Amino acid sequence: MAQFKLRSLKLLTFTLTMIRVLEITLAAGNDIEGPALVFIGASQSDVGVNNVLDTLAKANFPPYGRDFVYGDIKGATGRFSNGKILPDFVAQNLGVPFPVAYNSPEAKGPAALSGINTASAGAGWLNGTGSNLGQLIPGTEQVQWVKQWQQGLVSRVGSQKASHIIENALYLINIGDNDLFYYLQNAELRKTYTEEQYFQLMIDVAIANIKDLYNSGARKMTFTSVTARGCSPLQITLYQPLDRSKCVASVQTLVSAYSAEVKAAIQTLGQSLEGSKFYIADVFNITVDLFLHPSKYGLEHQESSIGCCGTGLFELGPLCNITLDSCSDANEYLFFDAQHYTEEAWRIIVDSFFDEMKAFLQL
Ligand SMILES: *[C@@H]1O[C@H](CO)[C@@H](O)[C@H](O)[C@H]1NC(C)=O
Ligand SMILES: *[C@@H]1O[C@H](CO)[C@@H](O)[C@H](O)[C@H]1NC(C)=O
Ligand SMILES: *[C@@H]1O[C@H](CO)[C@@H](O)[C@H](O)[C@H]1NC(C)=O
């Protein structure tokens, strides 16, 4: 009897071990189904990096997130919108999990196998951009985080599997708009650098970081152009408050000029980096068109220059908060706060390039 018990115990232990091995194998197998996703960026991609930083550039309180639902997660997460934003729709369209913020506790666990998000609201390519807002993670530091994530994969799943994940991952880079905005606001910078010199500073940092990513194994990258920032309620309030039906021409010109230069520089670089695939998602035109013709895209609120939160003219970050009345259906609007798109707008913007990007990068 005792011997029989011992034998069944051994059998049970053996079976449990086998189940564990099988589980681990399956889990590892599942994690590399579909590409890992890596997001580098600013507020249009931030999913919570800024939540724990000492900064004004935060959105982890209502009414932000009022329509956000993802599995068990509901409400404000740090996303600058009523609901899902750019990285969420990219992940959702690919049918893979939403990458977590790199500095969140979840990023220490299995979630990191499906990718990581380092985007930090207010940040730019240049280290000084957004320093008036408090602490944030500039582009170069985000790229260092991405490299740490890559090294972490090696110790988690071994170098062979890690290389596979790293090479097949999509790196989506959506940063630069804050550098331009910071330049416009900063008389000192404008005295020091001409527009052309400032663009070159930004592009030099962008190129150095892209090379760094390539050298660490990244191969598939998407670069989004700067959106039509001159069409945001805040810019219109700052520059032409009485003429709200048009985008601010001077801001739009700056954005277009920078976008054309950075696009050319990235395309040239892509041709010289063997095995790389660079996709440029030019979302400038669609974001202008959404502003001018919201109903064409099914957005019912016709005054694009007025956001959903508060008066819709200037509120964002801490100024967009629960003490204010907001609109009833945010997804009828283009802008949720005075600078950031609604979930519905992001769905439309991502859909405008997703299929082409997926085919081009063979995701
Ligand atoms: C920006 O900061 C990073 C550290 O995160 C540093 O390595 C880099 O040299 C800085 N860039 C410039 C242009 O100062
Ligand atoms: C954007 O619109 C301009 C002017 O209508 C056009 O010349 C340009 O090719 C468009 N760019 C893209 C990427 O669609
Ligand atoms: C909420 O917004 C109001 C109005 O803009 C502002 O005065 C107030 O300081 C904000 N409250 C918080 C907690 O940030």
Side-chain angles (χ1 to χ4, degrees), residues 179-190:
D179 298 294
L180 298 178
F181 193 41
Y182 194 63
Y183 178 78
L184 282 177
Q185 286 178 314
N186 194 316
E188 200 58 43
L189 272 181
R190 286 207 309 278

Side-chain angles (χ1 to χ4, degrees), residues 125-128 138 140-142 144 205:
W125 277 128
L126 302 176
N127 289 339
T140 304
E141 203 175 332
Q142 292 186 37
Q144 299 312 308
V205 177

Side-chain angles (χ1 to χ4, degrees), residues 333-347:
Y333 283 65
L334 175 58
F335 287 96
F336 182 62
D337 67 15
Q339 191 95 276
H340 301 99
Y341 298 115
T342 58
E343 172 179 85
E344 180 59 12
W346 277 124
R347 190 186 64 71

Side-chain angles (χ1 to χ4, degrees), residues 35-39 87 90-92 94 96-97 99 114-117 149 169-171 363:
L37 304 181
V38 173
F39 294 97
V90 171
Q92 183 170 300
L94 283 166
V96 299
S114 48
I116 216 70
N117 186 322
W149 167 76
L170 164 65
Y171 298 77
L363 295 169

Side-chain angles (χ1 to χ4, degrees), residues 37-235:
L37 304 181
V38 173
F39 294 97
I40 289 167
S43 59
Q44 294 182 338
S45 299
D46 189 339
V47 295
V49 162
N50 279 22
N51 292 355
V52 295
L53 304 183
D54 183 13
T55 175
L56 286 171
K58 283 191 205 222
N60 56 343
F61 40 79
Y64 288 110
R66 62 188 231 182
D67 301 312
F68 185 80
V69 185
Y70 176 58
D72 298 338
I73 308 169
K74 282 197 177 71
T77 56
R79 287 168 172 80
F80 281 79
S81 187
N82 58 310
K84 296 177 187 128
I85 56 173
L86 182 147
D88 304 322
F89 283 109
V90 171
Q92 183 170 300
N93 289 0
L94 283 166
V96 299
F98 294 7
V100 295
Y102 184 67
N103 57 351
S104 67
E106 295 76 36
K108 309 261 182 297
L113 289 178
S114 48
I116 216 70
N117 186 322
T118 65
S120 171
W125 277 128
L126 302 176
N127 289 339
T129 293
S131 53
N132 54 332
L133 299 170
Q135 203 188 356
L136 41 74
I137 313 296
T140 304
E141 203 175 332
Q142 292 186 37
V143 169
Q144 299 312 308
W145 279 11
V146 172
K147 288 163 68 183
Q148 283 171 21
W149 167 76
Q150 293 174 331
Q151 285 149 16
L153 284 178
V154 175
S155 47
R156 258 167 214 272
V157 297
S159 60
Q160 203 177 348
K161 200 167 270 175
S163 299
H164 181 81
I165 297 174
I166 291 165
E167 278 167 29
N168 287 286
L170 164 65
Y171 298 77
L172 191 146
I173 301 174
N174 175 33
I175 194 164
D177 55 347
N178 291 319
D179 298 294
L180 298 178
F181 193 41
Y182 194 63
Y183 178 78
L184 282 177
Q185 286 178 314
N186 194 316
E188 200 58 43
L189 272 181
R190 286 207 309 278
K191 247 188 275 167
T192 316
Y193 304 106
T194 64
E195 280 181 12
E196 189 48 44
Q197 288 168 333
Y198 190 76
F199 293 168
Q200 204 50 55
L201 281 182
M202 290 173 67
I203 291 170
D204 287 348
V205 177
I207 296 295
N209 278 293
I210 296 166
K211 282 185 183 161
D212 204 7
L213 284 170
Y214 175 84
N215 289 332
S216 69
R219 290 295 176 269
K220 301 179 178 189
M221 301 189 206
T222 289
F223 305 89
T224 59
S225 70
V226 175
T227 52
R229 189 96 183 225
C231 310
S232 76
L234 181 63
Q235 296 299 313

Side-chain angles (χ1 to χ4, degrees), residues 314-315 318-324:
F314 64 88
E315 294 91 346
L319 298 181
C320 168
N321 63 50
I322 201 68
T323 67
L324 306 165

Side-chain angles (χ1 to χ4, degrees), residues 19-33 161:
I19 289 174
R20 277 201 50 114
V21 169
L22 201 65
E23 267 175 359
I24 290 166
T25 317
L26 281 176
N30 282 345
D31 286 320
I32 50 173
E33 232 164 73
K161 200 167 270 175

